[in-house]
mmCIF file of all heavy atoms in Angstrom:
data_model
loop_
_atom_site.group_PDB
_atom_site.id
_atom_site.type_symbol
_atom_site.label_atom_id
_atom_site.label_comp_id
_atom_site.label_asym_id
_atom_site.label_seq_id
_atom_site.Cartn_x
_atom_site.Cartn_y
_atom_site.Cartn_z
ATOM 1 N N ARG A 212 88.684 -33.598 25.905
ATOM 2 C CA ARG A 212 87.243 -33.202 25.690
ATOM 3 C C ARG A 212 86.517 -34.304 24.966
ATOM 4 O O ARG A 212 87.178 -35.161 24.353
ATOM 5 C CB ARG A 212 87.142 -31.929 24.702
ATOM 6 C CG ARG A 212 87.488 -30.643 25.568
ATOM 7 C CD ARG A 212 87.747 -29.553 24.555
ATOM 8 N NE ARG A 212 86.795 -29.362 23.572
ATOM 9 C CZ ARG A 212 86.738 -28.333 22.748
ATOM 10 N NH1 ARG A 212 87.448 -27.318 22.897
ATOM 11 N NH2 ARG A 212 85.787 -28.241 21.857
ATOM 12 N N GLU A 213 85.217 -34.314 25.108
ATOM 13 C CA GLU A 213 84.402 -35.395 24.536
ATOM 14 C C GLU A 213 84.881 -36.830 24.898
ATOM 15 O O GLU A 213 84.922 -37.721 23.985
ATOM 16 C CB GLU A 213 84.395 -35.246 22.984
ATOM 17 C CG GLU A 213 84.127 -33.825 22.434
ATOM 18 C CD GLU A 213 82.716 -33.396 22.822
ATOM 19 O OE1 GLU A 213 81.813 -34.282 23.126
ATOM 20 O OE2 GLU A 213 82.473 -32.142 22.898
ATOM 21 N N ASN A 214 85.342 -36.960 26.091
ATOM 22 C CA ASN A 214 85.699 -38.285 26.638
ATOM 23 C C ASN A 214 86.935 -38.761 25.905
ATOM 24 O O ASN A 214 87.023 -39.938 25.491
ATOM 25 C CB ASN A 214 84.609 -39.288 26.648
ATOM 26 C CG ASN A 214 84.892 -40.474 27.528
ATOM 27 O OD1 ASN A 214 85.556 -40.475 28.476
ATOM 28 N ND2 ASN A 214 84.348 -41.635 27.103
ATOM 29 N N GLY A 215 87.901 -37.826 25.580
ATOM 30 C CA GLY A 215 88.989 -38.348 24.681
ATOM 31 C C GLY A 215 90.138 -39.005 25.521
ATOM 32 O O GLY A 215 90.941 -39.634 24.848
ATOM 33 N N LEU A 216 90.089 -39.116 26.897
ATOM 34 C CA LEU A 216 91.142 -39.688 27.534
ATOM 35 C C LEU A 216 91.288 -41.087 27.247
ATOM 36 O O LEU A 216 92.427 -41.702 27.086
ATOM 37 C CB LEU A 216 91.060 -39.509 29.050
ATOM 38 C CG LEU A 216 92.091 -40.012 29.979
ATOM 39 C CD1 LEU A 216 93.605 -39.427 29.565
ATOM 40 C CD2 LEU A 216 91.812 -39.788 31.392
ATOM 41 N N PRO A 217 90.274 -42.000 27.190
ATOM 42 C CA PRO A 217 90.435 -43.358 26.878
ATOM 43 C C PRO A 217 91.153 -43.678 25.528
ATOM 44 O O PRO A 217 91.993 -44.516 25.537
ATOM 45 C CB PRO A 217 89.015 -43.872 26.885
ATOM 46 C CG PRO A 217 88.247 -43.030 27.828
ATOM 47 C CD PRO A 217 88.850 -41.661 27.481
ATOM 48 N N ILE A 218 90.761 -42.972 24.532
ATOM 49 C CA ILE A 218 91.485 -43.268 23.175
ATOM 50 C C ILE A 218 92.772 -42.710 23.249
ATOM 51 O O ILE A 218 93.715 -43.313 22.527
ATOM 52 C CB ILE A 218 90.608 -42.717 22.105
ATOM 53 C CG1 ILE A 218 91.075 -43.202 20.734
ATOM 54 C CG2 ILE A 218 90.552 -41.137 22.049
ATOM 55 C CD1 ILE A 218 90.202 -42.914 19.591
ATOM 56 N N TYR A 219 93.134 -41.597 23.900
ATOM 57 C CA TYR A 219 94.564 -41.166 23.980
ATOM 58 C C TYR A 219 95.347 -42.237 24.735
ATOM 59 O O TYR A 219 96.384 -42.629 24.203
ATOM 60 C CB TYR A 219 94.527 -39.868 24.861
ATOM 61 C CG TYR A 219 96.025 -39.451 25.067
ATOM 62 C CD1 TYR A 219 96.639 -38.590 24.178
ATOM 63 C CD2 TYR A 219 96.696 -39.909 26.175
ATOM 64 C CE1 TYR A 219 97.977 -38.235 24.331
ATOM 65 C CE2 TYR A 219 98.017 -39.685 26.528
ATOM 66 C CZ TYR A 219 98.668 -38.691 25.543
ATOM 67 O OH TYR A 219 99.999 -38.381 25.690
ATOM 68 N N THR A 220 94.831 -42.797 25.829
ATOM 69 C CA THR A 220 95.511 -43.867 26.585
ATOM 70 C C THR A 220 95.794 -45.085 25.657
ATOM 71 O O THR A 220 96.826 -45.657 25.701
ATOM 72 C CB THR A 220 94.717 -44.182 27.763
ATOM 73 O OG1 THR A 220 94.463 -43.049 28.560
ATOM 74 C CG2 THR A 220 95.395 -45.274 28.628
ATOM 75 N N GLU A 221 94.709 -45.441 24.924
ATOM 76 C CA GLU A 221 94.915 -46.645 24.021
ATOM 77 C C GLU A 221 96.066 -46.364 23.013
ATOM 78 O O GLU A 221 96.771 -47.300 22.680
ATOM 79 C CB GLU A 221 93.575 -46.826 23.256
ATOM 80 C CG GLU A 221 93.664 -47.980 22.309
ATOM 81 C CD GLU A 221 92.365 -48.123 21.488
ATOM 82 O OE1 GLU A 221 91.243 -47.779 22.020
ATOM 83 O OE2 GLU A 221 92.305 -48.665 20.410
ATOM 84 N N LEU A 222 96.100 -45.173 22.413
ATOM 85 C CA LEU A 222 97.062 -44.878 21.438
ATOM 86 C C LEU A 222 98.473 -44.545 21.902
ATOM 87 O O LEU A 222 99.432 -45.072 21.339
ATOM 88 C CB LEU A 222 96.535 -43.647 20.575
ATOM 89 C CG LEU A 222 95.249 -43.861 19.715
ATOM 90 C CD1 LEU A 222 94.864 -42.606 19.067
ATOM 91 C CD2 LEU A 222 95.459 -45.079 18.765
ATOM 92 N N PHE A 223 98.543 -43.791 22.977
ATOM 93 C CA PHE A 223 99.800 -43.157 23.496
ATOM 94 C C PHE A 223 100.223 -43.494 24.792
ATOM 95 O O PHE A 223 101.301 -43.146 25.239
ATOM 96 C CB PHE A 223 99.746 -41.653 23.254
ATOM 97 C CG PHE A 223 99.386 -41.223 21.756
ATOM 98 C CD1 PHE A 223 98.229 -40.649 21.555
ATOM 99 C CD2 PHE A 223 100.292 -41.471 20.809
ATOM 100 C CE1 PHE A 223 97.880 -40.239 20.243
ATOM 101 C CE2 PHE A 223 100.025 -41.135 19.559
ATOM 102 C CZ PHE A 223 98.820 -40.483 19.206
ATOM 103 N N GLY A 224 99.302 -44.188 25.567
ATOM 104 C CA GLY A 224 99.621 -44.684 26.909
ATOM 105 C C GLY A 224 99.455 -43.682 28.059
ATOM 106 O O GLY A 224 98.512 -43.042 28.064
ATOM 107 N N PRO A 225 100.345 -43.832 29.003
ATOM 108 C CA PRO A 225 100.131 -43.162 30.371
ATOM 109 C C PRO A 225 100.128 -41.612 30.210
ATOM 110 O O PRO A 225 100.795 -40.975 29.211
ATOM 111 C CB PRO A 225 101.287 -43.516 31.087
ATOM 112 C CG PRO A 225 102.415 -43.966 30.220
ATOM 113 C CD PRO A 225 101.675 -44.486 29.005
ATOM 114 N N ALA A 226 99.397 -40.860 31.097
ATOM 115 C CA ALA A 226 99.355 -39.485 31.098
ATOM 116 C C ALA A 226 100.624 -38.859 31.550
ATOM 117 O O ALA A 226 100.798 -37.632 31.235
ATOM 118 C CB ALA A 226 98.181 -38.997 31.959
ATOM 119 N N TYR A 227 101.453 -39.478 32.329
ATOM 120 C CA TYR A 227 102.741 -38.900 32.742
ATOM 121 C C TYR A 227 103.758 -39.997 32.852
ATOM 122 O O TYR A 227 103.486 -41.117 33.273
ATOM 123 C CB TYR A 227 102.577 -38.128 34.125
ATOM 124 C CG TYR A 227 101.946 -38.960 35.267
ATOM 125 C CD1 TYR A 227 102.797 -39.478 36.330
ATOM 126 C CD2 TYR A 227 100.546 -39.058 35.386
ATOM 127 C CE1 TYR A 227 102.262 -40.190 37.408
ATOM 128 C CE2 TYR A 227 99.980 -39.688 36.538
ATOM 129 C CZ TYR A 227 100.887 -40.241 37.447
ATOM 130 O OH TYR A 227 100.342 -40.917 38.552
ATOM 131 N N TYR A 228 105.001 -39.607 32.562
ATOM 132 C CA TYR A 228 106.073 -40.586 32.554
ATOM 133 C C TYR A 228 107.420 -39.774 32.444
ATOM 134 O O TYR A 228 107.380 -38.494 32.210
ATOM 135 C CB TYR A 228 105.940 -41.600 31.256
ATOM 136 C CG TYR A 228 105.871 -40.907 29.963
ATOM 137 C CD1 TYR A 228 106.937 -40.768 29.126
ATOM 138 C CD2 TYR A 228 104.612 -40.324 29.499
ATOM 139 C CE1 TYR A 228 106.808 -40.147 27.886
ATOM 140 C CE2 TYR A 228 104.430 -39.778 28.371
ATOM 141 C CZ TYR A 228 105.577 -39.667 27.457
ATOM 142 O OH TYR A 228 105.403 -39.085 26.274
ATOM 143 N N SER A 229 108.585 -40.512 32.374
ATOM 144 C CA SER A 229 109.839 -39.741 32.269
ATOM 145 C C SER A 229 110.876 -40.690 31.497
ATOM 146 O O SER A 229 110.653 -41.943 31.562
ATOM 147 C CB SER A 229 110.334 -39.192 33.536
ATOM 148 O OG SER A 229 110.645 -40.319 34.421
ATOM 149 N N PHE A 230 111.898 -40.155 31.060
ATOM 150 C CA PHE A 230 113.048 -40.937 30.516
ATOM 151 C C PHE A 230 114.244 -40.185 30.550
ATOM 152 O O PHE A 230 114.310 -38.921 30.611
ATOM 153 C CB PHE A 230 112.728 -41.539 29.137
ATOM 154 C CG PHE A 230 112.429 -40.485 28.108
ATOM 155 C CD1 PHE A 230 113.523 -39.741 27.499
ATOM 156 C CD2 PHE A 230 111.154 -40.289 27.645
ATOM 157 C CE1 PHE A 230 113.303 -38.848 26.510
ATOM 158 C CE2 PHE A 230 110.875 -39.352 26.608
ATOM 159 C CZ PHE A 230 111.971 -38.653 26.017
ATOM 160 N N ASP A 231 115.283 -40.917 30.377
ATOM 161 C CA ASP A 231 116.742 -40.286 30.173
ATOM 162 C C ASP A 231 117.072 -40.319 28.758
ATOM 163 O O ASP A 231 116.847 -41.215 27.980
ATOM 164 C CB ASP A 231 117.804 -41.042 31.022
ATOM 165 C CG ASP A 231 117.687 -40.886 32.490
ATOM 166 O OD1 ASP A 231 117.230 -39.791 32.986
ATOM 167 O OD2 ASP A 231 118.017 -41.740 33.156
ATOM 168 N N TYR A 232 117.788 -39.155 28.323
ATOM 169 C CA TYR A 232 118.429 -39.171 27.012
ATOM 170 C C TYR A 232 119.617 -38.388 27.069
ATOM 171 O O TYR A 232 119.740 -37.254 27.409
ATOM 172 C CB TYR A 232 117.367 -38.327 26.004
ATOM 173 C CG TYR A 232 117.971 -38.035 24.719
ATOM 174 C CD1 TYR A 232 118.437 -39.026 23.812
ATOM 175 C CD2 TYR A 232 118.064 -36.717 24.356
ATOM 176 C CE1 TYR A 232 118.866 -38.656 22.635
ATOM 177 C CE2 TYR A 232 118.679 -36.446 23.193
ATOM 178 C CZ TYR A 232 119.007 -37.418 22.280
ATOM 179 O OH TYR A 232 119.540 -37.110 21.076
ATOM 180 N N LEU A 233 120.664 -39.202 26.710
ATOM 181 C CA LEU A 233 122.028 -38.704 26.863
ATOM 182 C C LEU A 233 122.221 -38.318 28.311
ATOM 183 O O LEU A 233 121.997 -39.149 29.211
ATOM 184 C CB LEU A 233 122.317 -37.560 25.984
ATOM 185 C CG LEU A 233 122.203 -37.832 24.439
ATOM 186 C CD1 LEU A 233 122.417 -36.595 23.618
ATOM 187 C CD2 LEU A 233 123.018 -38.988 24.020
ATOM 188 N N LYS A 234 122.740 -37.005 28.642
ATOM 189 C CA LYS A 234 122.952 -36.681 30.045
ATOM 190 C C LYS A 234 121.738 -35.829 30.509
ATOM 191 O O LYS A 234 121.861 -35.082 31.394
ATOM 192 C CB LYS A 234 124.196 -35.754 30.119
ATOM 193 C CG LYS A 234 125.496 -36.657 29.876
ATOM 194 C CD LYS A 234 126.735 -35.794 29.961
ATOM 195 C CE LYS A 234 127.886 -36.542 29.710
ATOM 196 N NZ LYS A 234 129.111 -35.741 29.872
ATOM 197 N N ASN A 235 120.504 -36.026 29.898
ATOM 198 C CA ASN A 235 119.355 -35.222 30.146
ATOM 199 C C ASN A 235 118.179 -36.152 30.692
ATOM 200 O O ASN A 235 118.256 -37.286 30.378
ATOM 201 C CB ASN A 235 118.917 -34.492 28.906
ATOM 202 C CG ASN A 235 120.097 -33.775 28.255
ATOM 203 O OD1 ASN A 235 120.466 -32.809 28.675
ATOM 204 N ND2 ASN A 235 120.561 -34.367 27.128
ATOM 205 N N HIS A 236 117.366 -35.544 31.422
ATOM 206 C CA HIS A 236 116.130 -36.244 31.889
ATOM 207 C C HIS A 236 114.819 -35.420 31.439
ATOM 208 O O HIS A 236 114.736 -34.271 31.635
ATOM 209 C CB HIS A 236 116.180 -36.350 33.393
ATOM 210 C CG HIS A 236 115.090 -37.205 33.990
ATOM 211 N ND1 HIS A 236 115.131 -38.648 33.805
ATOM 212 C CD2 HIS A 236 114.024 -36.870 34.725
ATOM 213 C CE1 HIS A 236 114.006 -39.066 34.382
ATOM 214 N NE2 HIS A 236 113.303 -38.055 34.944
ATOM 215 N N PHE A 237 114.022 -36.072 30.813
ATOM 216 C CA PHE A 237 112.693 -35.501 30.263
ATOM 217 C C PHE A 237 111.588 -36.054 31.190
ATOM 218 O O PHE A 237 111.394 -37.260 31.285
ATOM 219 C CB PHE A 237 112.492 -35.952 28.914
ATOM 220 C CG PHE A 237 113.422 -35.124 27.787
ATOM 221 C CD1 PHE A 237 114.744 -35.506 27.707
ATOM 222 C CD2 PHE A 237 112.875 -34.052 27.068
ATOM 223 C CE1 PHE A 237 115.592 -34.888 26.802
ATOM 224 C CE2 PHE A 237 113.729 -33.326 26.202
ATOM 225 C CZ PHE A 237 115.038 -33.762 26.079
ATOM 226 N N ILE A 238 110.769 -35.150 31.660
ATOM 227 C CA ILE A 238 109.560 -35.406 32.430
ATOM 228 C C ILE A 238 108.308 -34.869 31.754
ATOM 229 O O ILE A 238 108.358 -33.725 31.360
ATOM 230 C CB ILE A 238 109.686 -34.817 33.818
ATOM 231 C CG1 ILE A 238 110.909 -35.293 34.574
ATOM 232 C CG2 ILE A 238 108.406 -35.008 34.583
ATOM 233 C CD1 ILE A 238 111.101 -34.586 36.064
ATOM 234 N N PHE A 239 107.381 -35.717 31.537
ATOM 235 C CA PHE A 239 106.130 -35.449 30.795
ATOM 236 C C PHE A 239 104.978 -35.500 31.808
ATOM 237 O O PHE A 239 104.817 -36.472 32.553
ATOM 238 C CB PHE A 239 105.816 -36.486 29.765
ATOM 239 C CG PHE A 239 106.808 -36.372 28.579
ATOM 240 C CD1 PHE A 239 108.114 -36.930 28.716
ATOM 241 C CD2 PHE A 239 106.453 -35.816 27.328
ATOM 242 C CE1 PHE A 239 108.963 -36.841 27.687
ATOM 243 C CE2 PHE A 239 107.329 -35.655 26.378
ATOM 244 C CZ PHE A 239 108.617 -36.210 26.508
ATOM 245 N N LEU A 240 104.263 -34.294 32.022
ATOM 246 C CA LEU A 240 103.285 -34.178 33.043
ATOM 247 C C LEU A 240 101.953 -33.963 32.317
ATOM 248 O O LEU A 240 101.837 -33.522 31.120
ATOM 249 C CB LEU A 240 103.601 -32.918 33.837
ATOM 250 C CG LEU A 240 104.838 -32.911 34.650
ATOM 251 C CD1 LEU A 240 104.974 -31.563 35.311
ATOM 252 C CD2 LEU A 240 104.864 -34.061 35.687
ATOM 253 N N ASP A 241 100.800 -34.262 33.068
ATOM 254 C CA ASP A 241 99.442 -34.082 32.527
ATOM 255 C C ASP A 241 98.873 -32.976 33.360
ATOM 256 O O ASP A 241 98.383 -33.116 34.522
ATOM 257 C CB ASP A 241 98.750 -35.429 32.828
ATOM 258 C CG ASP A 241 97.198 -35.204 32.486
ATOM 259 O OD1 ASP A 241 96.860 -34.229 31.706
ATOM 260 O OD2 ASP A 241 96.362 -36.090 32.928
ATOM 261 N N SER A 242 98.687 -31.840 32.686
ATOM 262 C CA SER A 242 97.983 -30.605 33.325
ATOM 263 C C SER A 242 96.803 -30.347 32.605
ATOM 264 O O SER A 242 96.179 -29.223 32.602
ATOM 265 C CB SER A 242 99.017 -29.425 33.289
ATOM 266 O OG SER A 242 99.351 -29.168 31.973
ATOM 267 N N SER A 243 96.233 -31.302 31.840
ATOM 268 C CA SER A 243 95.073 -31.081 30.872
ATOM 269 C C SER A 243 93.853 -30.603 31.507
ATOM 270 O O SER A 243 93.122 -29.805 30.903
ATOM 271 C CB SER A 243 94.805 -32.335 29.982
ATOM 272 O OG SER A 243 94.528 -33.394 30.976
ATOM 273 N N ARG A 244 93.649 -31.044 32.736
ATOM 274 C CA ARG A 244 92.362 -30.726 33.430
ATOM 275 C C ARG A 244 92.516 -29.163 34.038
ATOM 276 O O ARG A 244 91.498 -28.743 34.484
ATOM 277 C CB ARG A 244 92.075 -31.708 34.616
ATOM 278 C CG ARG A 244 93.218 -31.667 35.620
ATOM 279 C CD ARG A 244 92.918 -32.748 36.662
ATOM 280 N NE ARG A 244 92.737 -34.040 36.315
ATOM 281 C CZ ARG A 244 93.655 -34.886 35.940
ATOM 282 N NH1 ARG A 244 94.987 -34.516 35.758
ATOM 283 N NH2 ARG A 244 93.451 -36.132 35.451
ATOM 284 N N GLY A 245 93.620 -28.577 33.967
ATOM 285 C CA GLY A 245 93.828 -27.222 34.416
ATOM 286 C C GLY A 245 92.954 -26.162 33.790
ATOM 287 O O GLY A 245 92.873 -25.086 34.307
ATOM 288 N N TRP A 246 92.444 -26.372 32.600
ATOM 289 C CA TRP A 246 91.599 -25.460 31.950
ATOM 290 C C TRP A 246 90.188 -25.358 32.479
ATOM 291 O O TRP A 246 89.702 -24.332 32.550
ATOM 292 C CB TRP A 246 91.572 -25.679 30.480
ATOM 293 C CG TRP A 246 90.788 -24.688 29.640
ATOM 294 C CD1 TRP A 246 89.708 -25.024 28.937
ATOM 295 C CD2 TRP A 246 91.072 -23.289 29.404
ATOM 296 N NE1 TRP A 246 89.277 -23.872 28.302
ATOM 297 C CE2 TRP A 246 90.083 -22.901 28.562
ATOM 298 C CE3 TRP A 246 92.057 -22.435 29.907
ATOM 299 C CZ2 TRP A 246 90.040 -21.516 28.154
ATOM 300 C CZ3 TRP A 246 91.992 -21.216 29.563
ATOM 301 C CH2 TRP A 246 91.030 -20.630 28.605
ATOM 302 N N ALA A 247 89.791 -26.605 32.873
ATOM 303 C CA ALA A 247 88.297 -26.698 33.274
ATOM 304 C C ALA A 247 88.091 -26.923 34.857
ATOM 305 O O ALA A 247 87.036 -26.667 35.322
ATOM 306 C CB ALA A 247 87.644 -27.771 32.591
ATOM 307 N N GLU A 248 89.228 -27.254 35.496
ATOM 308 C CA GLU A 248 88.962 -27.540 36.928
ATOM 309 C C GLU A 248 90.088 -26.717 37.736
ATOM 310 O O GLU A 248 91.047 -26.151 37.144
ATOM 311 C CB GLU A 248 89.379 -28.955 37.158
ATOM 312 C CG GLU A 248 88.404 -30.001 36.414
ATOM 313 C CD GLU A 248 88.823 -31.446 36.582
ATOM 314 O OE1 GLU A 248 89.558 -31.771 37.585
ATOM 315 O OE2 GLU A 248 88.348 -32.229 35.925
ATOM 316 N N LYS A 249 89.941 -26.583 38.989
ATOM 317 C CA LYS A 249 90.758 -25.702 39.883
ATOM 318 C C LYS A 249 92.128 -26.384 39.987
ATOM 319 O O LYS A 249 93.156 -25.674 39.893
ATOM 320 C CB LYS A 249 90.078 -25.620 41.248
ATOM 321 C CG LYS A 249 90.940 -24.747 42.137
ATOM 322 C CD LYS A 249 90.262 -24.630 43.542
ATOM 323 C CE LYS A 249 91.173 -23.749 44.527
ATOM 324 N NZ LYS A 249 90.585 -23.580 45.780
ATOM 325 N N THR A 250 92.195 -27.683 40.076
ATOM 326 C CA THR A 250 93.387 -28.377 40.235
ATOM 327 C C THR A 250 93.990 -28.733 38.730
ATOM 328 O O THR A 250 93.333 -29.663 38.144
ATOM 329 C CB THR A 250 93.313 -29.600 41.150
ATOM 330 O OG1 THR A 250 92.929 -29.162 42.406
ATOM 331 C CG2 THR A 250 94.726 -30.226 41.266
ATOM 332 N N ALA A 251 95.099 -28.265 38.452
ATOM 333 C CA ALA A 251 95.661 -28.740 37.167
ATOM 334 C C ALA A 251 96.330 -30.053 37.202
ATOM 335 O O ALA A 251 96.244 -30.826 36.324
ATOM 336 C CB ALA A 251 96.712 -27.656 36.637
ATOM 337 N N ILE A 252 97.138 -30.283 38.216
ATOM 338 C CA ILE A 252 97.929 -31.488 38.401
ATOM 339 C C ILE A 252 97.501 -32.129 39.631
ATOM 340 O O ILE A 252 97.677 -31.512 40.735
ATOM 341 C CB ILE A 252 99.450 -31.246 38.393
ATOM 342 C CG1 ILE A 252 99.853 -30.598 36.959
ATOM 343 C CG2 ILE A 252 100.326 -32.446 38.605
ATOM 344 C CD1 ILE A 252 101.275 -30.227 36.919
ATOM 345 N N PRO A 253 96.976 -33.368 39.672
ATOM 346 C CA PRO A 253 96.448 -34.078 40.822
ATOM 347 C C PRO A 253 97.573 -34.255 41.855
ATOM 348 O O PRO A 253 98.734 -34.371 41.456
ATOM 349 C CB PRO A 253 95.872 -35.341 40.456
ATOM 350 C CG PRO A 253 95.613 -35.068 38.866
ATOM 351 C CD PRO A 253 96.807 -34.169 38.448
ATOM 352 N N PRO A 254 97.160 -34.467 43.219
ATOM 353 C CA PRO A 254 98.162 -34.763 44.292
ATOM 354 C C PRO A 254 99.113 -35.874 43.963
ATOM 355 O O PRO A 254 100.251 -35.850 44.197
ATOM 356 C CB PRO A 254 97.342 -34.836 45.507
ATOM 357 C CG PRO A 254 96.133 -34.156 45.154
ATOM 358 C CD PRO A 254 95.946 -34.255 43.688
ATOM 359 N N GLU A 255 98.509 -37.005 43.464
ATOM 360 C CA GLU A 255 99.383 -38.247 43.298
ATOM 361 C C GLU A 255 100.404 -37.968 42.157
ATOM 362 O O GLU A 255 101.546 -38.572 42.144
ATOM 363 C CB GLU A 255 98.444 -39.419 42.958
ATOM 364 C CG GLU A 255 97.768 -39.312 41.573
ATOM 365 C CD GLU A 255 96.358 -38.553 41.678
ATOM 366 O OE1 GLU A 255 96.108 -38.020 42.799
ATOM 367 O OE2 GLU A 255 95.631 -38.759 40.718
#
Side-chain angles (χ1 to χ4, degrees):
R212 286 168 44 171
E213 310 298 336
N214 195 33
L216 183 56
I218 190 167
Y219 175 92
T220 303
E221 177 183 334
L222 297 174
F223 303 110
Y227 55 97
Y228 57 99
S229 65
F230 60 74
D231 289 333
Y232 170 61
L233 302 178
K234 296 180 180 179
N235 312 284
H236 188 68
F237 284 77
I238 298 175
F239 292 75
L240 299 176
D241 174 19
S242 58
S243 59
R244 58 183 57 77
W246 180 244
E248 301 177 19
K249 182 179 179 180
T250 300
I252 299 176
E255 65 272 13

